[in-house]
Amino acid sequence: MIVLLLLFSIGCFSSFYTRSTKSPHRYLKSESHQPIKGGMSTGTPLPKDWRERRRLRAWELYEQRWKQKDIAAVIGVTEGAVSQWISKAKTQGVQALRHQPSPGAQPKLSPEQWAQLPALLMQGAEAFGFRGQVWTTARVAEMIKRQFGVSYHPAHCSRLLRTIKHSQQKPTNCVAPKNA
C-alpha cells in the first residue's frame, strides 16, 4: 500500500514537474527570436546549420555567465560537449564553432595524370590491348591501373569520364545480319 502511494505521488510529481518546467527550446532562439523549428515530434527536418546554432547559443549563454551544467541541460547535450565548445571558442575564437565542411578524400590521380587521361582515351581502347574501340568503365579502370598503378572501381570511372567531359560508351552485343 505504501509502495503504491509512493509510486502514485512520484507519478503526480513528475507530471507536474514536466508541465511546470519551461521548454529548453526557448533558449535556442536565433537572432530573429524564433525557436528552432524541426525535431522528431513535428516531422519537419531541422535546418542544416542547427548544430552550429546550438554551439553558438551555448557560447552566448556562457558569455551571459551561465554555468556549463545549466547550458548543457537547457540545450540538451552533455556537459563535456559544452566544455569542449567553450574551450575551442576561447583558444581558436568563436569562428571555430561554425560549421567546417570536410575536405573529402585526396584524389588518387595527380594533376599531371589527370591531364594525360584525355590523350590516353583518344588513342582508343585497341591501343591498350582491348578488342574494339569502345571505352567501357571497366576498360577505363583497367587502363588507369596499367598506366598509373591506381585502382578505381568501374562505377567511379563513369564519374571520372564525366569530369573530363568524355562520354562513356557501351558495347552493343548484337549480331550482324547474315546476307542470305
Side-chain angles (χ1 to χ4, degrees), residues 9 12 30 37 41 62-63 65 69 78 81 83 94-95 105 110 121 127 130-131 139 153 169:
S9 64
C12 290
S30 62
K37 296 180 181 175
S41 60
Y62 178 75
E63 286 184 321
R65 306 270 188 233
K69 66 177 185 172
T78 63
S83 176
V94 180
Q95 292 300 320
S110 68
L121 292 171
F130 300 110
R131 286 183 54 193
R139 287 180 175 188
H153 190 276
Q169 302 165 359

Side-chain angles (χ1 to χ4, degrees), residues 117-161:
L117 199 55
L120 292 172
L121 292 171
M122 292 302 290
Q123 292 177 15
E126 288 181 348
F128 295 94
F130 300 110
R131 286 183 54 193
Q133 287 296 329
V134 177
W135 278 114
T136 63
T137 55
R139 287 180 175 188
V140 172
E142 182 64 30
M143 184 269 300
I144 290 173
K145 186 170 187 165
R146 288 181 197 168
Q147 291 294 313
F148 305 118
V150 174
S151 295
Y152 278 116
H153 190 276
H156 184 68
C157 288
S158 65
R159 292 186 202 110
L160 296 177
L161 293 173

Side-chain angles (χ1 to χ4, degrees), residues 11-75:
C12 290
F13 177 74
S14 67
S15 66
F16 168 76
Y17 179 75
T18 55
R19 278 184 277 149
S20 66
T21 57
K22 295 177 178 152
S23 170
H25 296 292
R26 74 185 188 103
Y27 295 105
L28 291 173
K29 293 181 181 177
S30 62
E31 291 78 28
S32 64
H33 301 293
Q34 295 296 320
I36 292 178
K37 296 180 181 175
M40 293 178 69
S41 60
T42 61
T44 58
L46 289 169
K48 291 184 179 184
D49 63 343
W50 69 273
R51 288 184 183 98
E52 176 183 317
R53 290 194 343 201
R54 182 174 65 178
R55 290 188 297 267
L56 293 173
R57 184 61 183 153
W59 177 251
E60 289 173 9
L61 294 176
Y62 178 75
E63 286 184 321
Q64 294 173 9
R65 306 270 188 233
W66 281 49
K67 294 180 182 177
Q68 289 184 16
K69 66 177 185 172
D70 296 335
I71 296 170
V74 166
I75 293 181

